[in-house]
Amino acid sequence: MLDLLRIAIIVAAGIGGYVLTRDYVRRRLRFVDAVRAPWVPWVVGIVVVTLTAPIVWLLPLVTKAAAIFLGVGTGIGTASGVKALKRGE
């Protein structure tokens, strides 16, 4: 039962990071030219993993995988938001 809860937290972190970041890039960063650089999604993902790593030590249900999936989700969400801006959405 506890493992299922951990898996749900990991999946929610990845999907939530993707959705929130994509929406933020499309709404707030549409006029910022620096977000279109190809290295920005990598930096965003690495920064998010670095900032959420200390939280893993404090909360017993949040694992390292949740921090990594959150970082991957935000990186992919940033890249997807930039693609959406280029398409004109």
Side-chain angles (χ1 to χ4, degrees):
M1 183 70 173
L2 201 57
D3 290 335
L4 187 61
L5 183 60
R6 286 185 180 143
I7 291 172
I9 290 172
I10 292 169
V11 171
I15 292 172
Y18 172 81
V19 170
L20 291 174
T21 306
R22 184 176 193 271
D23 185 51
Y24 186 80
V25 169
R26 288 176 60 213
R27 284 187 307 110
R28 298 284 188 154
L29 299 179
R30 64 177 168 234
F31 299 118
V32 179
D33 291 333
V35 78
R36 290 170 165 72
W39 50 267
V40 170
W42 290 97
V43 171
V44 168
I46 291 170
V47 167
V48 168
V49 169
T50 305
L51 291 177
T52 56
I55 296 172
V56 171
W57 291 357
L58 298 175
L59 301 174
L61 289 177
V62 180
T63 61
K64 293 176 191 174
I68 292 170
F69 271 73
L70 180 63
V72 169
T74 55
I76 293 172
T78 303
S80 178
V82 170
K83 279 185 185 179
L85 288 176
K86 288 180 180 178
R87 285 191 305 249
E89 290 182 10

